Amino acid sequence: MSLEGKEQQWWEAMLKDQATGLEALFQHYYSDLCRFAFSKLRKQEESEDVVQEVFVKLWQKRHSLQPSTSLKAYLLTATRNACFNLIEKKKREKNLHQGYQENQVATKAEAGGPTPEEIQSRIMEALDELPPKCRQVFELSRFEGMTYQEIADHLDISPKTVENQMGKALSILRKALAPLRK
């Protein structure tokens, strides 16, 4: 039986509320869709999350969908759109966060607070005060954008150790930067 014939069988099973159709689609396309998502997102965990969400939505909307092309084409399009939506969401969050930080700095400067240069200098001093492993974990997280799991794999330590090191780093930095908040 051709792939198109199998897809039709899987789709018909899904329309009869038989999860076996979804399971077959999932098993057949999951790996390819994850690789496709990874090519857009460059993060394995996010790629897997996006693809799983695509399958969840497919199941939830199965009675209202009428794929005009093959299910594979539909899944690829849905995955691509979900990747782009995630990228846009992350950009918006980053811009909001950056705008908030800039607003905080401007507000402090207007109130006679520290200048951006003073803040930058104090941050660098605070980073220098961190123990080496603690600083490495902090920089991988905050500057390289790695997840705790990615850091753990990269440094060959447990995710719990990463979490503990981040907690320690944030505590030290909070204390070092506290005088700037007044």
Side-chain angles (χ1 to χ4, degrees):
M1 178 182 292
S2 71
L3 182 56
E4 287 179 7
K6 287 180 184 179
E7 280 187 358
Q8 187 61 35
Q9 280 184 338
W10 298 334
W11 184 249
E12 288 172 7
M14 287 175 54
L15 291 175
K16 294 177 186 173
D17 296 334
Q18 297 172 351
T20 55
L22 181 68
E23 290 170 11
L25 271 172
F26 185 87
Q27 289 176 354
H28 192 78
Y29 291 119
Y30 179 77
S31 296
D32 290 341
L33 292 172
C34 283
R35 280 191 292 279
F36 177 71
F38 184 80
S39 74
K40 308 286 183 225
L41 301 172
R42 294 291 179 214
K43 291 193 176 180
Q44 188 64 36
E45 192 172 301
E46 285 180 355
S47 301
E48 291 171 2
D49 289 346
V50 161
V51 172
Q52 289 171 11
E53 186 63 29
V54 164
F55 278 102
V56 167
K57 287 181 180 177
L58 177 67
W59 179 255
Q60 291 171 338
K61 297 179 178 184
R62 67 191 177 281
H63 293 295
S64 62
L65 289 176
Q66 295 179 344
S68 57
T69 58
S70 71
L71 284 173
K72 179 180 182 179
Y74 174 83
L75 290 168
L76 279 169
T77 301
T79 301
R80 184 196 68 210
N81 291 342
C83 288
F84 290 149
N85 289 342
L86 179 61
I87 290 167
E88 284 302 312
K89 178 183 176 192
K90 288 167 62 175
K91 280 182 188 176
R92 282 191 307 273
E93 288 173 354
K94 182 179 178 184
N95 288 339
L96 280 173
H97 181 70
Q98 186 176 1
Y100 173 78
Q101 287 180 323
E102 289 169 358
N103 187 36
Q104 291 294 90
V105 168
T107 301
K108 290 217 182 257
E110 289 169 9
T115 66
E117 293 78 19
E118 291 170 327
I119 294 171
Q120 181 70 26
S121 173
R122 187 61 194 126
I123 289 172
M124 295 311 293
E125 289 171 14
L127 284 174
D128 288 339
E129 294 172 15
L130 294 176
K133 185 63 95 179
C134 195
R135 180 178 178 157
Q136 185 180 21
V137 167
F138 179 83
E139 288 177 346
L140 289 172
S141 173
R142 294 304 196 255
F143 301 149
E144 301 296 323
M146 295 174 75
T147 65
Y148 284 10
Q149 185 62 55
E150 290 171 334
I151 295 169
D153 294 343
H154 180 73
L155 298 178
D156 198 28
I157 57 177
S158 76
K160 189 67 179 169
T161 301
V162 172
E163 187 178 327
N164 291 337
Q165 291 293 319
M166 277 300 293
K168 183 177 180 180
L170 292 171
S171 176
I172 291 169
L173 290 171
R174 242 182 255 113
K175 287 177 187 171
L177 300 173
L180 297 177
R181 286 186 259 175
K182 295 179 180 177

